[in-house]
Amino acid sequence: MIDEEPGVGNSFCVAGIITGVFMLFILVVILAFSAGRGNSESLYDKDDPILELDVDTFGPAIYGVKKAHFVEFYSSWCGACIGYAPTFKKFAKQLEKWSPLVQVTVVNCAEDKNMPLCREHSVSSYPSLRYFKYDSATKDDGMKYSGDKYDINKLAHDIAGLAQADAQKQNPEHWPSFLPLSETTSLEDVFKSTGSTPYLAIIVQDSPEVIAWANLINYHGNNGLKVAYVSQKHQIAEKYFTDGGVHALLFSNGNAEPLWKSSSPVEKWIDVEEKIEELIGDKIAAKAPTIQPINAAPVIAAPSSPLNNQYEVQLVDLKSAMSYMLYKEIPRREEIRDEPLAALKQWMHTLKKYAPGTTPMRRLFFRLDEWIQLRAVVTANEWIAKVDEIQQALGNPLPKEITWMACAGSKPNLRGYTCGLWTLAHSITVEAYKQEKHNTAFKPVIDVLEPFRAFIFHFLSCSECAQNFTKEAEKNQLHLVTRAEDVYAWLWRVHNFVNKRLSGSLTDDPSFKKQQFPPKSICPDCYDSNGDIDESKALPFVFKYYSNIKTDPSENLPGYKVVEYKEGKTLSAGQRHLNPKFQVHAGKVDQLEANEKVKNVLDAAPQRTWRDIDGYDNLPETSRSHHYFIWLSLIGVALIVIYCKYRKNRSKFWKTFYYQNDFKL
């Protein structure tokens, strides 16, 4: 035995402490790095003239700032948002010069950390557009835009009108005057008022003068061009135009002969800007303002997902879809009441009866259904608290961290939740048929399909997707579904119609193209000689496919192998199965919940108590605390003394033991 040098033990302890602190530091850095990443990919990049904010930067950028903001609340997985992104980028590009007065802004509500911000602003569907006025103070200063968001010219005109209303009410400093020239002002007077500015543009328009206001904002602060506007009865308008329409003029300062005058009525503000840029753009060019996010976290690219086999029903996808639905989609509103609450009650009742998954997962929906049916109003905080309470009681059967396997897309914002939700719905319809195929009282529409449609309509945050699904339901005559087997056949047909409509769109994942299900690659017998789907063969395949829920990435292992040995020889080998409550579709939850209630009643009954002979229970609470503290202190001191003695005598003991015995270790 090697003798320990003096101080080696202490040095070793110090080194261990330093190593532990260092590893803790590394862990904290990793966690901070991961937290900053987010879990969704933005639909916009640094080349777009758009300010992207999050929960940390939204307040400092919007509230108390001397400009207005036009904000798109979007979700990066939402099909409608993905489809709208190119339009919004084009719109933002047109309004790039407006940013000193009106900043085009976005918030990604698919980011976990942004969910409270989006909930605070009552964003119940995406994309949602809000105008925050000049010097906004609270969320109540944000006004929802309900116009046609795809008509970007009308959208710009409406924003110009909102900015003009801001100017009238608040008279912002350093903003342009949105007032027209007086009826007595001549062209020469206007030239004099422009000073050394080389060019003058005059818009002729009666109220609302949105084209004039838009160009006022666009060229505000440009030292090469001044914009003014007059009514259609003004002397300047009557001098150059007679048709009474909206027109525009461009002058060199001091020259009454216009460089350009519109030959026909102007319909869009951008037409005026494009003509001005064509004629004098190089002479009045001003550098576009740089957008600097306030305290923005660094953008870190999310790792690409491995391309898993998409044609599998994975339990992890079902769990993630349920978790996202319960924690993200349902509590998007601050309050759930009236029709949305009625739809939620129906959907929870359907999930209580037919939800796929393990017994704890199904018991979760059983308890949620019992709770929600008695509520008249549910707040988002109440909902999340109840889900957390039941989760904890059942051992957290659903994960907080969302992970996609068969539903993973080639990018973080593709497939994911929508794929998981479709998979969940198909699995529910198949399970409903299994349970109810011999039940003459079963109503496929009332019990399953209508609750799903209503839930999608009220709670799917992709608003256009939700509306389109209702249209598909009407088109495919949902109300005529009566046979039990049609409960899963109808949904399968509708899903194929949706895939056909969306194939090749911006929402289509290039690595997982939308196609008819099942494809020939997994079911060649499901197609006839003409290449069309043969329903007589496809439907049994669909039923079997959504019945086979895989609980492992590679194969579904129902248990584990146990081998018994004795004296080096194998005595027996066998397969042991997992506890039934962890298997998919195991057991009926109704009886389990009934037994749980009986157990809780018994546990709550009066229990026998023991009398304290020594009278310790009669001591005041403070005396008990002092006794505990004294005894714990004495034990701690004793342990320290013993350890120090041990450290001091350890080397001497082992030396004696090693050299003064007849044997060696």
Side-chain angles (χ1 to χ4, degrees):
M1 186 72 180
I2 299 175
D3 190 15
E4 188 180 71
E5 293 293 333
V8 171
N10 293 336
S11 300
F12 179 78
C13 292
V14 172
I17 292 171
I18 293 173
T19 304
V21 171
F22 177 73
M23 293 303 294
L24 181 62
F25 172 76
I26 295 296
L27 178 62
V28 170
V29 171
I30 292 172
L31 290 174
F33 178 80
S34 301
R37 277 176 39 180
N39 60 358
S40 303
E41 187 173 89
S42 173
L43 298 183
Y44 304 97
D45 54 49
K46 62 181 181 180
D47 296 326
D48 299 316
I50 296 173
L51 177 63
E52 182 141 18
L53 301 175
D54 59 25
V55 67
D56 299 317
T57 57
F58 186 88
I62 302 291
Y63 301 139
V65 176
K66 306 306 180 185
K67 65 165 70 174
H69 290 80
F70 191 69
V71 184
E72 181 203 11
F73 291 93
Y74 76 97
S75 174
S76 53
W77 61 260
C78 164
C81 300
I82 295 171
Y84 184 60
T87 301
F88 199 70
K89 289 181 180 183
K90 183 178 179 181
F91 164 75
K93 187 66 178 175
Q94 288 186 358
L95 269 63
E96 185 173 11
K97 297 176 185 175
W98 294 30
S99 61
L101 276 66
V102 182
Q103 175 66 63
V104 178
T105 310
V106 294
V107 175
N108 185 5
C109 294
E111 287 283 353
D112 288 347
K113 68 177 183 178
N114 292 338
M115 287 298 294
L117 172 66
C118 300
R119 188 181 301 123
E120 178 189 359
H121 288 82
S122 302
V123 181
S124 58
S125 61
Y126 310 121
S128 181
L129 304 178
R130 308 286 172 93
Y131 176 83
F132 285 84
K133 67 180 184 179
Y134 170 91
D135 197 23
S136 289
T138 68
K139 64 182 180 63
D140 297 326
D141 289 327
M143 187 188 74
K144 185 175 182 180
Y145 180 77
S146 55
D148 184 0
K149 58 181 173 287
Y150 287 96
D151 186 347
I152 59 176
N153 296 303
K154 177 69 163 53
L155 183 56
H157 292 172
D158 291 342
I159 293 174
L162 292 170
Q164 186 269 347
D166 257 1
Q168 275 191 332
K169 291 179 182 178
Q170 304 192 66
N171 193 25
E173 190 179 359
H174 306 306
W175 274 38
S177 170
F178 284 86
L179 298 175
L181 298 176
S182 68
E183 296 299 324
T184 59
T185 303
S186 66
L187 183 60
E188 290 73 18
D189 294 333
V190 183
F191 284 147
K192 291 177 182 178
S193 67
T194 59
S196 60
T197 304
Y199 296 99
L200 169 68
I202 295 180
I203 312 297
V204 178
Q205 186 177 23
D206 283 342
S207 179
E209 301 94 336
V210 289
I211 293 177
W213 297 335
N215 280 282
L216 275 170
I217 297 171
N218 192 62
Y219 288 106
H220 174 65
N222 190 306
N223 295 323
L225 176 70
K226 178 180 178 179
V227 177
Y229 72 95
V230 296
S231 69
Q232 290 171 336
K233 292 183 179 181
H234 194 279
Q235 56 178 301
I236 297 176
E238 291 179 342
K239 179 179 178 180
Y240 294 97
F241 305 104
T242 58
D243 60 5
V246 179
H247 284 280
L249 295 158
L250 179 64
F251 298 94
S252 292
N253 194 354
N255 189 346
E257 185 64 29
L259 294 173
W260 166 73
K261 72 173 185 175
S262 56
S263 57
S264 59
V266 176
E267 296 182 354
K268 300 175 292 187
W269 82 274
I270 196 71
D271 292 340
V272 177
E273 193 227 22
E274 287 175 350
K275 194 64 181 180
I276 290 174
E277 294 300 316
E278 176 190 337
L279 296 173
I280 59 172
D282 57 333
K283 299 174 183 177
I284 63 170
K287 186 177 180 181
T290 303
I291 298 175
Q292 293 290 345
I294 299 178
N295 298 326
V299 178
I300 303 170
S304 58
S305 302
L307 302 184
N308 298 302
N309 180 11
Q310 68 178 119
Y311 295 117
E312 289 178 343
V313 180
Q314 291 284 354
L315 183 61
V316 67
D317 290 333
L318 294 175
K319 286 184 175 182
S320 291
M322 291 173 177
S323 179
Y324 195 91
M325 174 182 70
L326 295 179
Y327 282 108
K328 310 299 180 186
E329 287 288 89
I330 292 174
R332 279 182 292 107
R333 298 173 173 87
E334 287 192 316
E335 270 192 355
I336 306 171
R337 58 170 68 240
D338 303 328
E339 281 189 32
L341 181 60
L344 182 59
K345 289 180 177 181
Q346 291 177 354
W347 181 233
M348 287 299 110
H349 196 64
T350 299
L351 287 167
K352 166 191 172 180
K353 294 190 290 185
Y354 309 121
T358 62
T359 301
M361 292 166 61
R362 297 163 68 201
R363 292 179 74 176
L364 168 66
F365 290 110
F366 188 99
R367 297 185 186 184
L368 273 176
D369 176 62
E370 283 196 330
W371 176 75
I372 196 71
Q373 299 302 334
L374 303 176
R375 308 286 298 192
V377 179
V378 178
T379 67
N381 290 334
E382 287 173 342
W383 173 266
I384 293 172
K386 191 63 181 180
V387 174
D388 279 337
E389 175 191 322
I390 300 174
Q391 278 263 87
Q392 187 175 3
L394 295 172
N396 294 302
L398 298 182
K400 285 290 188 73
E401 183 177 349
I402 305 301
T403 303
W404 305 111
M405 189 171 292
C407 282
S410 60
K411 293 182 179 179
N413 63 306
L414 296 178
R415 304 185 78 226
Y417 176 62
T418 49
C419 167
L421 190 59
W422 274 115
T423 305
L424 174 62
H426 286 299
S427 300
I428 287 171
T429 57
V430 166
E431 179 64 19
Y433 176 65
K434 285 181 185 178
Q435 293 186 30
E436 311 290 359
K437 58 184 174 182
H438 301 304
N439 181 7
T440 56
F442 175 59
K443 306 293 184 184
V445 175
I446 296 174
D447 294 338
V448 179
L449 297 177
E450 175 56 24
F452 179 63
R453 185 212 64 80
F455 174 77
I456 293 297
F457 183 79
H458 289 288
F459 289 95
L460 185 65
S461 54
C462 177
S463 57
E464 290 182 27
C465 307
Q467 293 167 9
N468 287 334
F469 184 76
T470 292
K471 292 177 183 176
E472 292 286 355
E474 295 172 356
K475 182 180 177 181
N476 289 275
Q477 299 180 314
L478 171 64
H479 63 285
L480 296 181
V481 178
T482 55
R483 298 185 306 168
E485 57 267 30
D486 286 338
V487 70
Y488 72 90
W490 182 87
L491 189 67
W492 165 72
R493 294 188 190 105
V494 169
H495 196 175
N496 271 343
F497 281 127
V498 172
N499 279 347
K500 185 177 181 180
R501 176 169 55 84
L502 296 178
S503 179
S505 68
L506 291 173
T507 63
D508 204 358
D509 191 323
S511 299
F512 302 101
K513 293 287 188 179
K514 296 185 188 301
Q515 54 184 314
Q516 298 301 284
F517 184 87
K520 288 183 179 180
S521 59
I522 63 172
C523 185
D525 295 336
C526 294
Y527 290 78
D528 60 23
S529 57
N530 297 322
D532 298 324
I533 291 181
D534 182 351
E535 285 200 2
S536 64
K537 295 181 179 179
L539 284 174
F541 178 88
V542 170
F543 179 82
K544 183 179 179 181
Y545 177 86
Y546 285 105
S547 299
N548 182 23
I549 299 176
K550 296 184 179 296
T551 56
D552 185 86
S554 56
E555 58 180 334
N556 190 6
L557 299 177
Y560 53 94
K561 188 176 181 180
V562 176
V563 181
E564 239 182 281
Y565 295 96
K566 186 175 182 181
E567 296 179 354
K569 295 180 180 180
T570 303
L571 289 182
S572 63
Q575 192 81 7
R576 290 191 180 177
H577 297 276
L578 296 172
N579 186 318
K581 74 174 184 176
F582 296 114
Q583 296 179 13
V584 178
H585 297 306
K588 294 283 186 180
V589 300
D590 306 58
Q591 188 59 47
L592 290 171
E593 287 297 313
N595 294 341
E596 183 83 9
K597 287 181 180 178
V598 172
K599 175 181 174 294
N600 290 339
V601 170
L602 292 175
D603 289 344
Q607 302 294 313
R608 184 173 297 177
T609 57
W610 294 94
R611 183 178 178 183
D612 180 54
I613 297 175
D614 297 329
Y616 183 75
D617 286 341
N618 296 323
L619 286 174
E621 194 66 31
T622 53
S623 298
R624 293 187 193 182
S625 301
H626 292 160
H627 276 81
Y628 291 146
F629 178 76
I630 292 170
W631 277 108
L632 289 174
S633 300
L634 290 175
I635 292 170
V637 171
L639 288 174
I640 293 171
V641 171
I642 292 170
Y643 178 73
C644 291
K645 289 290 185 180
Y646 164 73
R647 296 288 301 177
K648 182 177 179 181
N649 295 322
R650 185 177 62 169
S651 298
K652 183 178 179 181
F653 169 79
W654 283 109
K655 261 187 186 180
T656 304
F657 185 76
Y658 184 82
Y659 288 110
Q660 295 183 8
N661 285 278
D662 295 330
F663 59 89
K664 296 183 180 180
L665 294 178

